[in-house]
Amino acid sequence: LCIDSSVPVDKRRMSAICLKNGVTKFWRTMSPHPLCKEDKEKIKNIALRCYSVEIKEVFDQLLESVAKISRYEFPKTWPEFVPTQVQVIESSMSEGEKLRALLMLYKVIKTLSTKRLSADKTNFKEVSNAIFVLIGSVWENYLTLLNKDPSTLYLHPACVSLKILRAMLTYGFDDVTSSLPKSCLEVMLKLASPQLLHRLSLSDGEVCVLYDKYLLVLVKTLINVQEKFPESFGQYMVVALQLAHQIAFQYADKLDLKLVSRSLHLMSGIMLCESYDVFKLNNRGKDVSPDAIKFTEMRNSFFTEEVLKDMCTKCISKYQKLGEDELLNWQESPEEFAFEETRHVSLFNIKAASEHFLLNTTAVFQDTVCPYIISLIKECKKHDRSNLDNVLVIDSIYAVTVICSYDLFDYIDIDSWFLELVSELAEEGPYCTILRRRILEVIGRWVTIKLSQDRHTAVYEVCIEHMRPSHDLVVRLTAASALKAAVTDFAFYPPSFSGYLEVTVQLLYTLLKQVSECESMVKILEVVNSVIDGCGTQITEFVDPLISWLPTLWEAAVEHFMLQTQLLHTARKLTRCLGAGSVKLYSFINPVLKYALTQEPQLVLLEDGLMLWLMVLEHAPASTPSLVLMFEWLYPLIQLGSASLKTTLLIIECTILLDPPAIISRYGSGLVAACTSLYPDVVGDAKVLITNIILAIIKTTPREQWPDLTPLLHVTFKDLHSHYSKVVTVNLNVMCYLVLLDINYFNNLLQSFNINNIMDDIFKVWLSQSDHFYQIEQYKLSLIALLKIVTQQPTLAQKQF
């Protein structure tokens, strides 16, 4: 059906999808219902003729099937695949069929190149050596046709053949100095610059887009080869740098930004490569070869002072500059814009790529680039702040001081510059908000790096002033982030911040009410949590408005787990700071915990919810009916037995200690049964915690109110010979209390084991483990219990000595 042109397209597409799913599930011999050998042979024969399928959506599905089959079958049981596709590529068939054969070959080569077993690597190298010359000649042939007729008819196959060469160059050879890869790489670099100029001469939009993709594959090939074979690539370094420089800085306006960003990545990789840096090799105690010295000289001869300054200037004024779209986004969606820059993680993003490039350039050529950046900062004073272009350039320069802050550490006098920045914040103008936002970001960065301690109060004042409602929302959010950096700094001194605490909480509360995006609320709550952590109990008298707003925030966070998690963190920190006063949080905490712990889809909140519950119990001044009723939620959590089991057991112990009569009378029997079934399935610390629950029951409850502990004690006492000393000592601790509180109960318990001379074994363990009672109270208790046993049974001691 897939390759039958007489069948309707929809049926062919669905059959191709079914084939792909079938190959995925049933091709391997270890699958539940594997395909028989005859069916596999039929499918492989059909797959060989996939190049005849002209419908793209059908062909794409078949490509996936071919790739999966080749992963399992090639070359052992399907050796004819590559020769068949090569035959099609060399034949006089239509360009469309040749292209599809190339695509099939590329998909298979790409799949095989990802296999990492030694035998698979060897097979791939054999395949690469067999077809490398052919694919290289196909690629060169298409380039020749492309120079005569720059159309998509030749661009697409040229691009695909280059992708095949890229995979084989990267994974198909042990080194690129051998004749085949070396000659190919030399041809690539020789033709690269003419191809770039050819692309710049074109005006057809579709052809230009595809040509940019071709050049992108070329640059990615150079990146892969440089990363995989840095020493061998060293001789081509200058040519590669010249190409990347042309793309990124000379002709960037006419090229795709993805191509520009990858060119910056290529230059960064060469800069950072240890094989091209004698200084790094010396620092790491490695041998410096003549080639390394030569490559270092080649690299430095390209990155002259003039070139470095020119690249930095263009990166700052072009790639780091806020664009029209960003400024429009600031006006329309200020909350989204405020945190947009933190999302730049992909090196295909031109801003992220230029940041990465600037950071590497500053680190490698610090002596040249850092003084130049300082000179740019000084020139900012001369710019007219009423001109938008000038303001955007200043904004970009200040952004660089954030990106390269650690490398600029020894070059910037931040204390003096801080005073200038504060005066700039007070300036008014049509574009003052752009600079205020950036200056606050600079302050937030440098306050944690170098700013003097006596300047910190000025930082608090600046941040608090710009968090006021009269300022732009983006500026207020940036000020809040800067304040968080100041409060979390290791040099933070809480008494110096106490005078600003009340107004800080008020402004954060106001800001929290005015934002609508989930991410903004999360960021503000992070600031609140940082202030709580830094100031501790000083914050208690100012948090009532914030507490009253928590239920509203929780309602707004119904579909946002990140915000719900942050609210649980905030509630936990407030509980710790309020101590006994945390009772005022119960009206918020109780329904929140019920939602987090009893709703099955909300398991993502389970750990944070349990931590909050434990914090509430630790600081509860007295038991309440709601805290007792919450105990019912623990039974399903015990059975869950997840990574949160330790916290669950601690909650059980704390609840028993908080209100023993209510818990034991209502839940005692069920709790003992649950712990009895759980104990054999856990190890180590979990066993210690379960035994601590027994201790809590024994210590806090009169003897006549104990639940039937016999089944649980039976399973715990079996661990007296455990190799884990904590388990042994906590069980001995239980025995001490049983002996001292009711020795008859203890004797009856031992008799229920139906083991002869059980007391002799216990006595031996008791004596051998007595030194493991590290707390003096436990040690004294152990001795008293032993004396009581010996008083009743003196023969036990006589047998030991």
Side-chain angles (χ1 to χ4, degrees), residues 726-783:
K726 271 189 175 182
V727 174
V728 177
T729 53
V730 75
N731 274 293
L732 290 175
N733 211 9
V734 171
M735 288 185 178
C736 292
Y737 278 97
L738 291 176
V739 168
L740 295 175
L741 292 173
D742 191 343
I743 196 167
N744 292 328
Y745 179 89
F746 178 70
N747 290 330
N748 293 333
L749 176 67
L750 296 184
Q751 291 175 7
S752 67
F753 279 89
N754 294 322
I755 300 175
N756 295 328
N757 300 321
I758 186 174
M759 193 61 218
D760 291 340
D761 292 339
I762 292 175
F763 198 75
K764 287 180 183 178
V765 173
W766 206 321
L767 289 175
S768 65
Q769 296 290 329
S770 58
D771 290 338
H772 291 159
F773 289 104
Y774 299 115
Q775 294 183 3
I776 189 65
E777 293 82 2
Q778 291 181 350
Y779 191 72
K780 289 179 180 179
L781 192 69
S782 173
L783 292 176

Side-chain angles (χ1 to χ4, degrees), residues 501-502 505-506 509 513 528 532 538-551 574 578 581-585 587-588:
L501 191 54
E502 182 177 4
V505 175
Q506 290 175 352
Y509 167 65
K513 290 197 300 182
V528 172
I532 294 172
Q538 297 180 48
I539 202 171
T540 53
E541 56 185 296
F542 310 120
V543 295
D544 286 345
L546 180 63
I547 292 173
S548 66
W549 188 248
L550 290 178
L574 286 172
L578 292 171
S582 60
V583 175
K584 65 176 75 173
L585 281 168
S587 59
F588 167 70

Side-chain angles (χ1 to χ4, degrees), residues 465-611:
E465 173 59 33
H466 289 85
M467 284 166 56
R468 298 189 183 280
S470 58
H471 288 282
D472 181 86
L473 183 57
V474 173
V475 173
R476 294 168 67 193
L477 291 170
T478 308
S481 298
L483 182 63
K484 176 191 171 186
V487 172
T488 55
D489 181 43
F490 72 95
F492 176 67
Y493 185 55
S496 66
F497 188 72
S498 57
Y500 307 101
L501 191 54
E502 182 177 4
V503 64
T504 299
V505 175
Q506 290 175 352
L507 290 172
L508 288 172
Y509 167 65
T510 304
L511 187 56
L512 200 56
K513 290 197 300 182
Q514 292 180 352
V515 297
S516 57
E517 295 289 334
C518 169
E519 186 173 0
S520 302
M521 296 178 187
V522 169
K523 296 291 184 182
I524 297 168
L525 285 173
E526 286 177 358
V527 181
V528 172
N529 292 343
S530 300
V531 173
I532 294 172
D533 284 337
C535 298
T537 56
Q538 297 180 48
I539 202 171
T540 53
E541 56 185 296
F542 310 120
V543 295
D544 286 345
L546 180 63
I547 292 173
S548 66
W549 188 248
L550 290 178
T552 306
L553 282 177
W554 184 262
E555 291 177 6
V558 173
E559 297 180 356
H560 303 287
F561 288 129
M562 284 181 59
L563 181 54
Q564 289 175 334
T565 302
Q566 198 64 47
L567 283 168
L568 290 173
H569 288 177
T570 303
R572 188 168 82 242
K573 293 178 184 298
L574 286 172
T575 301
R576 188 186 66 224
C577 288
L578 292 171
S582 60
V583 175
K584 65 176 75 173
L585 281 168
Y586 286 3
S587 59
F588 167 70
I589 288 175
N590 291 348
V592 164
L593 284 180
K594 184 175 182 180
Y595 178 85
L597 303 177
T598 63
Q599 301 290 325
E600 189 171 330
Q602 271 47 281
L603 288 177
V604 68
L605 304 174
L606 178 61
E607 185 176 353
D608 295 302
L610 288 173
M611 293 298 293

Side-chain angles (χ1 to χ4, degrees), residues 73-236:
E73 303 290 329
F74 186 85
K76 290 183 179 180
T77 57
W78 202 23
E80 65 272 19
F81 174 79
V82 170
T84 302
Q85 306 312 312
V86 168
Q87 186 177 2
V88 174
I89 294 168
E90 291 182 313
S91 69
S92 58
M93 291 186 179
S94 68
E95 289 297 333
E97 289 178 314
K98 290 182 181 180
L99 172 60
R100 288 189 287 274
L102 272 172
L103 285 169
M104 288 173 65
L105 186 59
Y106 165 64
K107 197 73 176 179
V108 170
I109 291 293
K110 182 180 178 182
T111 301
L112 296 177
S113 69
T114 61
K115 299 177 77 172
R116 301 267 67 90
L117 293 179
S118 179
D120 296 324
K121 288 183 178 181
T122 303
N123 288 334
F124 184 69
K125 289 174 183 177
E126 292 175 358
V127 173
S128 298
N129 278 281
I131 66 171
F132 191 84
V133 174
L134 170 68
I135 301 300
S137 63
V138 169
W139 170 63
E140 290 186 42
N141 181 49
Y142 277 116
L143 289 185
T144 304
L145 295 171
L146 192 59
N147 290 330
K148 297 177 182 178
D149 180 16
S151 66
T152 56
L153 182 64
Y154 304 125
L155 259 174
H156 202 167
C159 188
V160 175
S161 56
L162 183 57
K163 286 181 179 180
I164 299 173
L165 290 173
R166 175 191 169 200
M168 291 191 292
L169 277 171
T170 308
Y171 302 105
F173 297 95
D174 293 324
D175 200 354
V176 292
T177 54
S178 56
S179 58
L180 290 180
K182 182 178 180 180
S183 59
C184 179
L185 197 57
E186 288 175 350
V187 171
M188 280 187 191
L189 291 167
K190 180 181 178 181
L191 297 178
S193 186
Q195 287 170 349
L196 175 61
L197 296 175
H198 187 207
R199 153 65 183 89
L200 295 171
S201 65
L202 301 175
S203 57
D204 187 331
E206 186 180 357
V207 174
C208 289
V209 169
L210 196 53
Y211 218 129
D212 285 344
K213 288 182 179 179
Y214 170 81
L215 291 172
L216 178 61
V217 176
L218 177 60
V219 172
K220 289 165 76 172
T221 304
L222 297 178
I223 292 172
N224 290 151
V225 174
Q226 189 275 323
E227 290 176 350
K228 190 76 181 292
F229 312 107
E231 291 84 3
S232 303
F233 186 81
Q235 57 185 312
Y236 310 115

Side-chain angles (χ1 to χ4, degrees), residues 669 672-673 675-677 679-680 694 707-718 745 749 752-753:
S669 300
V672 171
C675 290
T676 303
S677 63
Y679 190 87
I694 302 174
D708 184 11
L709 296 172
T710 304
L712 181 54
L713 292 172
H714 270 223
V715 295
T716 59
F717 283 0
K718 288 179 182 179
Y745 179 89
L749 176 67
S752 67
F753 279 89

Side-chain angles (χ1 to χ4, degrees), residues 342-359:
T342 61
R343 304 190 191 105
H344 293 151
V345 293
S346 171
L347 290 181
F348 278 118
N349 179 286
I350 186 61
K351 197 162 223 176
S354 63
E355 286 180 10
H356 187 250
F357 178 78
L358 281 169
L359 184 62

